[in-house]
Amino acid sequence: MSNKILQKKALIPGQTSLLVIEAPQIAKKAKPGNFVILRIHDKGERVPLTIADTDPEAGTITIVYLVVGKSSALLETLKEGEIILDVCGPLGKPTHIEKCGTVICVGGGTGIAAMHHIAKGHHKAGNHVVAIVGARSKDLLLFCDELGGFCPELLIATDDGSSGHKGFVTDVLRERLEKDKDVTEVVAIGPVPMMEAVANVTKPFGVRTVVSLNSIMVDGVGMCGACRCNVGGETRFACVDGPEFDGHKVDFNELRMRLAQYKNQENESMDLFRREHGE
Amino acid sequence: MASKKKFNPVRTPMPEQPADVRNKNFKEVALGYTREQAIEEANRCIQCKVPLCQKGCPVEIDIKSFVGHMAAGDVPSAYRVLKETNALPAVCGRVCPQESQCEGSCILGKKHEPVAIGRIERYVADTFDSDSACEMITGHTACSLPNDQVKVACIGSGPSSLTVAGYLAARGVPVTVYEALHEIGGVLVYGIPEFRLPKAVVAREVGALWAKGVTFLPNWVGGKTITIQDLIDDGFDAVFIGVGAGLPWFLNIPGENLVGVYSSNEYLTRINLGRAYDFPNYDTPAPRPRNVAVVGGGNVAMDAARTALRLGAENVYITYRRTQDEMPARLEELHHAIEEGVQLELLTSPIAINGDENSHVKSMTLQVMELGEPDDSGRRRPVAVEGKTKELEVDMVILAVGTGANPVLLEATPGLKLSERGYIDANPETGETSIPNVFAGGDIVGGSATVISAMGAGRKAAKTIAERLKVEL
């Protein structure tokens, strides 16, 4: 597999970029909800990233990342035509998609990219897809044009009110659920607090709610349990049993604690990277 | 003449790094024989008429013959004999439990110390150097013509697949090996630490297979990137499944998901595959505990404990529910661990892991055990001493309590018959599964065992594949 970067687009300059990568076998096999594990250079770590789109004919997959630490900063230094050393996938269970009526897909931050792929899957299955996207301000929103292209409803929330509703996606979601009792499913992808808030909003409505967990992963194929999480009192591996789980059963508190476990080393690694890159 | 010399009942010792030096580095502990030492030890072999040692070896190396060549100082001939049946002698010489295999069967062992077959094997494999990959694999300078009218795929690149690839490549068959991780070697690269098996040794054996025409494809996950059916559709004449038993077991006790609790697979994968011992030069972070408990008494527990010591932990405990005598680990590994400073907490079994306000491990509650009646395995069963527990203050826990079959490939392969325990049901003689021309071997068939038994299974399957495909030898 070549793993060549065919296209790179800054979605939010310096913060979030989109890469179209040549990976024919993964493009052929990937379904919405799947992810890949990347390793950028020969001293690199393995990092999971959701597949935001595929083009099986062109043999490409699309990923979107937020620059948060050493590995994503390193990814941001790569240019079109360059190669990502290792791209492994498609991993995880695909999203469960069937024709079921109205589905609300909620996306926050970089999570909108992954949400977009799932929303597209639901649309293709014949569902009425309501997309709700949120960010701090208008210029941090992603994929609005793409979502607008196939979603009959695109609802926006920004913290500062620069676009759509001023406030959180959960406000918009609650309002939408109140006026429509026929929503079959809610899908939420984004930061942990956002997914937890969405699950809390939908619970009283009794609507099935799927969240996509972003646990720490190493191999991504079920051989280590680094990504384990507590779902309904049972330990599950996000990489092979998920990454999508019933949002009403996930122990978000545990997830948050486990996500923070390498904070010191992550900072140390990033500081070193900054020094080496003269920042 | 060897017979005129006074017979030495004691085997030639292997030089090693001193314990208080090596417990701070990841360099190999055992340093290997010199030529003189290898010849001296090989001369202890009495060249039995009916060598029992060969029967003790799962890949049936002609031990008498290679040791005989070494005794005469003929390393190339010794190497050829080794490579006839063993694709990875430099690995086996280091990690085989020889005491229960070849050396355990050595007749000298009845009254004296057995011949150090593993150490001689290692010397020969490390020393012989050839430009010819053909010679590296087959031991012959001329290779058979390629049998490229057939092709074979292996899923997984651990010891069993490497053996299949080596056997078939030596007979000119093109083999493609699909590996899920980014490095080739399976447990040899992610599991066994550098201080027992240097990665350069594995890379050399893999390199010889590359040069002979084996294609290795990393980042291909069996069951995800490619399925067995895809391989059959792509025209592979036979498929070998050697994906190992990579699913870590947990204990289902309270506190198991606290920060600081690791499966041995995760801990060792971070350190060995991710080179986290060299963080931040390498990007994979490793935990930095002060007091570590490793749960389990096998070789993996020893590897994890010795690794934690090398990464600067002040106290490393191995907690095991029976006594030292019942530990499944090799005696040599246990001795090495104790020499380096690992402490044993025997007759204890964890019942809870306790955390602080940040959900970080702060201690482990252990149930005190005693030995009862023998169980099915013949070992005395550990029984809880009612009401008696102890608290071990630790900030990290590594669970080395075994592994099971990883379901990723199995779930994606309809028609593949599994055993009651969830492993692949394969014919023990041929390795063939319920799907025609699909073979399996190693830990995915028998559950977690040794490198050499996986290689033995690979060898059987490879022989059947060669016969089935009418490969000309």
Side-chain angles (χ1 to χ4, degrees):
Chain A
M1 283 193 265
S2 90
N3 308 338
K4 191 197 258 186
I5 299 172
L6 297 182
Q7 196 196 333
K8 179 172 184 175
K9 196 161 88 186
L11 300 180
I12 304 165
Q15 246 187 60
T16 297
S17 294
L18 173 152
L19 300 180
V20 177
I21 304 165
E22 186 173 60
Q25 187 67 17
I26 301 176
K28 191 163 102 184
K29 294 279 182 178
K31 296 198 169 64
N34 284 143
F35 65 94
V36 287
I37 293 257
L38 308 184
R39 202 170 68 110
I40 297 151
H41 64 149
D42 62 359
K43 290 185 173 178
E45 59 180 338
R46 297 169 65 90
V47 286
L49 277 171
T50 309
I51 298 170
D53 213 348
T54 63
D55 185 339
E57 270 94 70
T60 63
I61 60 168
T62 301
I63 57 162
V64 174
Y65 58 88
L66 173 70
V67 179
V68 282
K70 161 88 189 264
S71 288
S72 45
L74 202 59
L75 196 55
E76 183 65 6
T77 65
L78 297 183
K79 300 177 187 69
E80 284 179 4
E82 289 190 288
I83 303 271
I84 298 174
L85 185 59
D86 298 296
V87 181
C88 178
L91 302 171
K93 288 209 176 5
T95 308
H96 177 79
I97 292 176
E98 59 179 348
K99 188 164 166 34
C100 61
T102 300
V103 176
I104 301 181
C105 296
V106 190
T110 321
I112 304 172
M115 181 276 262
H116 150 264
H117 198 207
I118 293 166
K120 204 157 126 184
H122 274 294
H123 166 71
K124 280 185 181 157
N127 293 321
H128 178 91
V129 180
V130 181
I132 305 179
V133 295
R136 270 181 289 120
S137 67
K138 189 182 170 194
D139 44 337
L140 301 178
L141 288 165
L142 309 173
F143 282 88
C144 286
D145 291 346
E146 288 86 344
L147 287 164
F150 61 82
C151 296
E153 294 175 60
L154 171 63
L155 308 172
I156 294 170
T158 50
D159 295 3
D160 63 0
S162 49
S163 177
H165 169 80
K166 183 177 185 328
F168 296 130
V169 285
T170 40
D171 308 333
V172 180
L173 173 65
R174 188 179 293 110
E175 200 179 308
R176 186 64 184 70
L177 284 172
E178 273 163 1
K179 73 174 189 203
D180 184 353
K181 302 290 167 206
D182 292 328
V183 175
T184 351
E185 185 173 312
V186 172
V187 181
I189 305 177
V192 177
M194 177 273 215
M195 292 193 288
E196 186 176 21
V198 165
N200 287 338
V201 165
T202 58
K203 201 158 190 188
F205 292 93
V207 181
R208 182 167 76 229
T209 301
V210 174
V211 294
S212 180
L213 302 189
N214 53 341
S215 326
I216 290 178
M217 290 184 189
V218 182
D219 54 87
V221 293
M223 57 171 269
C224 87
C227 64
R228 66 195 190 277
C229 46
N230 183 333
V231 183
E234 274 177 52
T235 293
R236 311 291 299 275
F237 291 2
C239 73
V240 289
D241 300 323
E244 290 171 15
F245 293 104
D246 181 343
H248 296 145
K249 292 185 175 166
V250 169
D251 184 340
F252 286 103
N253 207 32
E254 184 186 283
L255 177 66
R256 245 192 303 272
M257 292 299 185
R258 292 188 61 83
L259 278 171
Q261 60 184 303
Y262 291 103
K263 208 100 213 137
N264 293 340
Q265 282 104 315
E266 283 162 8
N267 291 339
E268 196 179 317
S269 197
M270 190 61 192
D271 288 347
L272 187 68
F273 175 83
R274 284 206 185 96
R275 279 202 300 279
E276 283 170 353
H277 285 75
E279 284 176 38
Chain B
M1 285 288 283
S3 57
K4 282 186 187 166
K5 278 194 302 190
K6 198 180 164 214
F7 176 74
N8 187 356
V10 182
R11 46 165 69 192
T12 314
M14 173 92 105
E16 49 184 47
Q17 287 194 67
D20 60 340
V21 173
R22 67 180 194 241
N23 65 7
K24 293 170 197 72
N25 68 49
F26 277 82
K27 288 184 205 138
E28 199 170 12
V29 168
L31 301 172
Y33 277 161
T34 60
R35 180 177 165 86
E36 291 68 33
Q37 288 167 330
I39 292 175
E40 184 189 337
E41 182 60 22
N43 273 301
R44 288 184 65 236
C45 171
I46 58 172
Q47 296 285 310
C48 304
K49 276 215 170 63
V50 184
L52 298 175
C53 51
Q54 188 171 349
K55 289 206 174 62
C57 171
V59 295
E60 295 163 50
I61 294 174
D62 184 351
I63 293 166
K64 175 180 165 177
S65 168
F66 99 80
V67 173
H69 286 305
M70 188 63 232
D74 182 357
V75 175
S77 298
Y79 188 80
R80 272 176 206 124
V81 175
L82 274 177
K83 271 286 182 176
E84 268 167 27
T85 58
N86 189 337
L88 314 166
V91 172
C92 291
R94 288 174 164 84
V95 304
C96 275
Q98 288 101 359
E99 63 276 14
S100 58
Q101 295 176 333
C102 54
E103 294 175 14
S105 309
C106 172
I107 197 84
L108 281 190
K110 296 239 187 275
K111 283 191 175 163
H112 312 290
E113 288 188 349
V115 174
I117 299 165
R119 295 173 182 180
I120 301 172
E121 180 184 26
R122 170 183 162 159
Y123 173 80
V124 172
D126 284 0
T127 308
F128 181 75
D129 202 11
S130 163
D131 293 338
S132 158
C134 175
E135 206 167 354
M136 291 271 285
I137 293 168
T138 63
H140 304 290
T141 38
C143 276
S144 53
L145 289 169
N147 288 291
D148 56 7
Q149 62 276 27
V150 292
K151 56 174 188 171
V152 173
C154 294
I155 302 184
S157 71
S160 66
S161 283
L162 293 180
T163 302
V164 171
Y167 186 97
L168 293 171
R171 285 149 185 86
V173 177
V175 180
T176 306
V177 179
Y178 295 89
E179 165 58 44
L181 295 175
H182 58 260
E183 215 167 298
I184 302 303
V187 74
L188 307 177
V189 296
Y190 78 75
I192 304 175
E194 185 80 12
F195 55 82
R196 277 216 295 140
L197 178 63
K199 300 300 156 263
V201 170
V202 183
R204 182 171 180 258
E205 305 275 33
V206 171
L209 293 170
W210 262 116
K212 186 63 192 77
V214 178
T215 305
F216 290 98
L217 297 177
N219 301 314
W220 285 68
V221 184
K224 294 283 182 190
T225 321
I226 197 140
T227 64
I228 304 280
Q229 191 58 50
D230 293 335
L231 293 170
I232 295 169
D233 294 346
D234 285 352
F236 282 98
D237 300 281
V239 178
F240 176 79
I241 305 172
V243 294
L247 180 83
W249 284 339
F250 287 84
L251 293 168
N252 295 317
I253 58 173
E256 216 158 31
N257 292 352
L258 288 167
V259 172
V261 183
Y262 288 78
S263 73
S264 51
N265 268 8
E266 180 187 352
Y267 186 63
L268 292 172
T269 300
R270 282 182 177 277
I271 309 299
N272 297 329
L273 184 72
R275 316 291 198 268
Y277 57 82
D278 196 9
F279 176 88
N281 189 24
Y282 282 80
D283 296 339
T284 304
R288 291 166 177 165
R290 294 177 62 177
N291 303 305
V292 180
V294 179
V295 181
N299 288 321
V300 177
M302 302 302 145
D303 286 345
R306 296 171 71 194
T307 298
L309 268 184
R310 282 163 172 75
L311 284 169
E314 288 163 24
N315 292 293
V316 177
Y317 309 95
I318 283 187
T319 73
Y320 182 57
R321 61 202 178 118
R322 307 185 204 233
T323 73
Q324 204 168 315
D325 292 341
E326 289 86 20
M327 277 194 179
R330 291 185 68 191
L331 204 55
E332 186 185 327
E333 301 307 325
L334 177 62
H335 282 165
H336 275 147
I338 293 170
E339 276 173 16
E340 289 166 10
V342 170
Q343 303 162 56
L344 301 182
E345 276 288 341
L346 300 167
L347 288 167
T348 59
S349 179
I351 49 176
I353 301 167
N354 313 300
D356 61 18
E357 63 285 355
N358 298 317
S359 295
H360 200 288
V361 174
K362 66 169 189 189
S363 73
M364 186 158 76
T365 308
L366 297 166
Q367 169 67 53
V368 176
M369 313 294 282
E370 61 186 2
L371 288 186
E373 295 300 304
D375 63 11
D376 296 344
S377 72
R379 298 182 301 173
R380 291 179 65 193
R381 189 193 303 272
V383 185
V385 180
E386 207 169 324
K388 205 168 166 198
T389 61
K390 59 169 138 175
E391 205 80 355
L392 196 59
E393 248 181 67
V394 286
D395 52 358
M396 180 163 136
V397 175
I398 303 171
L399 301 170
V401 293
T403 56
N406 186 324
V408 168
L409 174 71
L410 310 182
E411 283 172 359
T413 314
L416 187 65
K417 200 172 154 220
L418 304 184
S419 71
E420 272 176 27
R421 290 162 65 219
Y423 297 102
I424 294 177
D425 191 0
N427 181 323
E429 292 311 312
T430 64
E432 194 168 26
T433 68
S434 54
I435 305 174
N437 288 329
V438 175
F439 298 78
D443 290 2
I444 191 58
V445 172
S448 38
T450 58
V451 167
I452 188 69
S453 64
M455 291 174 61
R459 189 171 164 74
K460 274 187 187 173
K463 273 183 174 173
T464 318
I465 293 170
E467 280 167 27
R468 189 73 60 83
L469 302 183
K470 299 188 170 56
V471 169
E472 286 173 41
L473 301 181

